[in-house]
Amino acid sequence: MSDGHEHNGHEHVPSRQRRRFPGISSRTYEHPADRSALVALRKLSGFDTVFKALSGLLPERSLRLLFLSDSVRVSDQQFAHLNVMLRDACYILDLEKVPPMYVNQDPQPNAMCIGLDEPIIVVTTGLVELLDEEEMRAVVGHEVGHALSGHSVYRTILLFLTSLAVRVAWIPLGNLAIMAIVTGLREWFRKSELSADRAGLLVGQDLQASMRGLMKIAGGNHLHEMNVDAFLAQAEEYEAGGDLRDSVLKILNVLPRSHPFTTVRAAELKKWAESRDYQRIMDGHYPRRDEDKDTSVRDSWRESANHYGTHVKSSKDPLMKLVTDLAGGAGDLGDRVRRGFGGFTGPSAKPSQGPESGPSDPSGDDRPPSDGS
């Protein structure tokens, strides 16, 4: 891959040899939860009407002019190293048309892929200054993955509706209707970030760089003070720790966010990188774009359902463990909920010391050790 290969009118000059994926379908790296959340979103009452209306009303030309006039467009003359990364990412994922990319002055590290007709990639100066070359390569691949999956359309509508919800907050019913769709869009977008993280790994093909980038986004440019295994152990502790109260708080904390928590993203990406699916992709066995028309919606639903079933069964979260136990007919609902919430309802609700310890058993024997994996 170091032959300066000509691809769609631009020269590909990678800094090191990496595998390319000709004709790769976005289905290859899309997280099952991403696809199922998008299907659920499309079934949300009123979504189609809003989507069609906004597709015609959103000022896309104005959006492009805004970035053109008030940001720096990446090219051979400006941010040339980012331009090489962008073309390299498009070459590896076989994206025929290279999307325009802009650098926007903002100290907050961020990147996004937006646009209705055609995707636009925007990265902030805070991100460019924070990451090294290989970490940035994974981010650029992440955004190209969004473009290949067609995520930019829904991301643009999410940004518009979030702004609109603030403006019409004084209209109770109008705000509720918009926020229902915004909540659905956010749920989907959080899942789509897991997909794009995988695309970034396929482009960078350096798991450690992807991990470092996520750690820097969480803790800043202090790698000498951070450790990948300890960072991943935080995700383990976050999932398994606490009682049912903490499970509810996790849900409430994540609802207003467009991105999953950084430690969760790192753990999910590492798990996928160590899977057989990832190895098969690297060996050249992956779905092709020309096969997309033959895919079954039912198969996608089945895959998503299997994923969620496996996730619930293997989850260490107290709420998920309760759901699993109840589904298996274990115990009385009221008793298990009381024990799960621990001292929340007062001293009388403390868990018993019998052999059937609840999820918040103070002995801690039911909690697996955090091994950083």
Side-chain angles (χ1 to χ4, degrees):
M1 287 179 56
S2 56
D3 56 355
H5 185 82
E6 291 289 334
H7 179 62
N8 297 311
H10 63 267
E11 188 176 356
H12 167 65
V13 189
S15 62
R16 61 180 175 82
Q17 186 172 356
R18 287 186 302 282
R19 182 175 294 279
R20 185 186 176 224
F21 306 100
I24 189 171
S25 168
S26 61
R27 291 181 292 119
T28 303
Y29 58 81
E30 284 173 346
H31 196 282
D34 173 7
R35 290 198 295 273
S36 61
L38 189 55
V39 171
L41 175 66
R42 288 167 177 162
K43 290 183 176 294
L44 186 65
S45 177
F47 178 76
D48 283 344
T49 303
V50 171
F51 180 79
K52 290 175 183 177
L54 290 180
S55 295
L57 292 176
L58 282 177
E60 173 142 350
R61 293 176 68 87
S62 174
L63 190 68
R64 292 177 182 276
L65 287 172
L66 176 63
F67 286 115
L68 192 62
S69 64
D70 206 32
S71 300
V72 176
R73 183 164 62 188
V74 172
S75 65
D76 289 333
Q77 292 77 39
Q78 302 185 116
F79 290 100
H81 72 292
L82 293 181
N83 197 41
V84 172
M85 290 183 195
L86 176 61
R87 292 180 175 182
D88 189 23
C90 292
Y91 177 75
I92 289 175
L93 293 182
D94 201 13
L95 185 65
E96 293 185 1
K97 187 172 182 179
V98 178
M101 183 175 178
Y102 295 88
V103 176
N104 184 44
Q105 170 62 28
D106 187 344
Q108 182 72 25
N110 196 15
M112 59 182 174
C113 182
I114 55 176
L116 295 175
D117 297 329
E118 294 180 354
I120 303 172
I121 295 174
V122 182
V123 297
T124 65
T125 51
L127 190 68
V128 174
E129 293 163 4
L130 178 66
L131 304 182
D132 67 24
E133 179 179 351
E134 291 304 311
E135 295 158 7
M136 193 68 200
R137 189 183 302 280
V139 168
V140 173
H142 174 111
E143 299 305 326
V144 169
H146 276 313
L148 182 58
S149 291
H151 291 161
S152 62
V153 174
Y154 299 99
R155 173 62 166 167
T156 305
I157 291 176
L158 173 59
L159 289 172
F160 180 80
L161 286 179
T162 303
S163 173
L164 183 63
V166 174
R167 297 178 189 176
V168 301
W170 59 277
I171 308 175
L173 293 180
N175 186 49
L176 284 175
I178 292 173
M179 286 310 300
I181 296 177
V182 167
T183 300
L185 276 166
R186 282 176 177 159
E187 169 62 16
W188 160 74
F189 195 77
R190 287 191 293 270
K191 306 306 183 186
S192 76
E193 285 296 292
L194 302 178
S195 297
D197 283 344
R198 294 177 175 186
L201 180 58
L202 290 178
V203 167
Q205 297 173 25
D206 184 344
L207 179 61
Q208 290 304 309
S210 294
M211 293 291 107
R212 292 198 310 269
L214 288 169
M215 283 198 303
K216 282 184 175 181
I217 290 172
N221 194 12
H222 304 282
L223 277 179
H224 63 288
E225 298 284 357
M226 293 185 279
N227 176 276
V228 173
D229 290 336
F231 187 67
L232 291 171
Q234 291 180 222
E236 178 88 7
E237 182 180 347
Y238 171 77
E239 181 183 2
D243 53 26
L244 288 180
R245 288 170 298 174
D246 297 292
S247 297
V248 173
L249 289 173
K250 291 176 192 176
I251 295 171
L252 294 177
N253 285 341
V254 81
L255 279 178
R257 296 174 59 93
S258 62
H259 288 59
F261 292 115
T262 317
T263 56
V264 175
R265 290 173 62 184
E268 282 280 342
L269 186 60
K270 184 173 186 292
K271 187 186 304 180
W272 187 67
E274 294 172 346
S275 70
R276 185 178 179 183
D277 288 342
Y278 177 73
Q279 189 56 56
R280 283 179 56 80
I281 296 168
M282 296 306 295
D283 290 339
H285 305 292
Y286 53 84
R288 261 59 173 185
R289 223 168 290 163
D290 55 13
E291 302 167 352
D292 284 351
K293 63 181 182 300
D294 300 322
T295 59
S296 166
V297 175
R298 180 178 298 176
D299 289 343
S300 296
W301 267 108
R302 186 180 298 113
E303 183 181 355
S304 300
N306 289 339
H307 163 77
Y308 275 112
T310 302
H311 172 73
V312 169
K313 289 178 182 178
S314 62
S315 176
K316 303 180 183 77
D317 180 85
L319 181 58
M320 293 298 101
K321 289 172 69 176
L322 176 63
V323 170
T324 303
D325 289 348
L326 292 174
D332 171 72
L333 174 60
D335 181 56
R336 297 189 68 83
V337 169
R338 282 194 298 274
R339 286 190 287 158
F341 276 91
F344 184 65
T345 56
S348 62
K350 289 182 180 180
S352 64
Q353 300 300 316
E356 278 283 322
S357 296
S360 59
D361 183 358
S363 69
D365 294 337
D366 192 44
R367 184 182 303 173
S370 296
D371 58 5
S373 61

